[in-house]
Amino acid sequence: QVQLVESGGGLVQTGGSLRLSCAASGRTSSVHAMGWFRQDPGKEREFVAGVYWSTDNKHYADSVKGRFTISNDNAKNTVYLQMSSLKPEDTATYYCASRPWRAAPISEPRSYDYWGQGTQVTVSS
């Protein structure tokens, strides 16, 4: 199993920045990709960004391109999400997730095996 622990959420004003961290432990050798997702109550979980562990190939949702940056530190088994130019519509609970090699797109939440507990991001207008 892989355990994921997120940190770094909080309250920020429109236009501000936050950095989320997700530390992985356990069977991290099985991790092929990690992703960040977000979810509002009553809505489906939405892909934000993802990174393939070995190639560092990164993908972003159109809604965050140019504002968010995903990065990973393999030595620390940690993935980060640097969020800038935040908007009220970015308000959500943010989750990190990991998966082994899968053929499904990195944006597909059902392809992930392990999830963190979530961290709240609130952007005030």
Side-chain angles (χ1 to χ4, degrees), residues 1 20 39-40 61 67 70 77 85-86 89 91 93 105 109:
Q1 288 196 348
L20 306 183
Q39 189 171 23
D40 273 335
R67 299 189 299 122
I70 189 170
N77 291 320
S85 301
L86 283 161
E89 50 264 45
T91 295
T93 300

Side-chain angles (χ1 to χ4, degrees), residues 32 52 98-105 110-113:
H32 184 256
Y52 289 98
S98 72
R99 69 179 202 182
W101 185 90
R102 294 271 159 80
R110 292 173 294 180
S111 71
Y112 288 78
D113 289 347

Side-chain angles (χ1 to χ4, degrees), residues 22 24 34 51 53 56 71-80:
C22 175
M34 292 188 71
V51 60
W53 215 240
D56 204 35
S71 61
N72 56 306
D73 184 335
N74 289 8
K76 295 182 178 180
N77 291 320
T78 300
V79 65
Y80 304 96

Side-chain angles (χ1 to χ4, degrees), residues 43-58:
K43 294 186 178 179
E44 291 189 357
R45 196 159 291 189
E46 175 190 21
F47 172 74
V48 176
V51 60
Y52 289 98
W53 215 240
S54 58
T55 65
D56 204 35
N57 192 7
K58 301 169 184 176

Side-chain angles (χ1 to χ4, degrees), residues 12-27:
V12 65
Q13 291 185 333
T14 297
S17 299
L18 280 175
R19 188 176 83 154
L20 306 183
S21 301
C22 175
S25 60
R27 286 195 61 194

